[in-house]
Amino acid sequence: MLVLTRKVHQSIMIGDDIEVIVLDIRGEQVRIGIRAPKSVPVHRQEVYAQIVAENLEAARTRPEDVPPPPEGENSTNEQKRNIV
């Protein structure tokens, strides 16, 4: 792991497009700002771990495990076709 020391309002660059800026330090908390292209997902680590876990769970779901839509309602695919 690369470890860098920065002061408030100093930043680091990751590649050419991502800038991480130290905005504030209060006690044990550091407030940071991130400038990154919209195509680069940025998440807190705990949120990212939850996304990965949910994606793994979804990948294990078989089509027959998904309950059918309630009677009288269109399925998601039917709704998409109706929009187009």
Side-chain angles (χ1 to χ4, degrees):
M1 173 189 305
L2 173 66
V3 178
L4 301 170
T5 301
R6 301 276 64 200
K7 295 178 180 176
V8 174
H9 303 296
Q10 291 183 333
S11 63
I12 61 170
M13 294 298 298
I14 300 174
D16 293 332
D17 299 334
I18 301 172
E19 183 178 16
V20 179
I21 308 157
V22 177
L23 299 174
D24 193 18
I25 302 170
R26 291 184 188 169
E28 295 183 4
Q29 290 189 323
V30 177
R31 190 167 170 230
I32 59 172
I34 301 169
R35 288 192 182 114
K38 290 188 182 287
S39 61
V40 176
V42 177
H43 304 284
R44 293 183 186 106
Q45 188 280 332
E46 61 272 19
V47 171
Y48 179 75
Q50 183 67 33
I51 291 169
V52 169
E54 289 178 9
N55 285 341
L56 289 172
E57 182 64 27
R60 284 191 285 260
T61 302
R62 299 174 304 175
E64 56 268 22
D65 294 337
V66 178
E71 196 160 313
E73 292 186 19
N74 292 333
S75 70
T76 303
N77 288 338
E78 290 173 338
Q79 289 173 339
K80 288 179 183 175
R81 279 192 296 252
N82 291 338
I83 292 172
V84 175

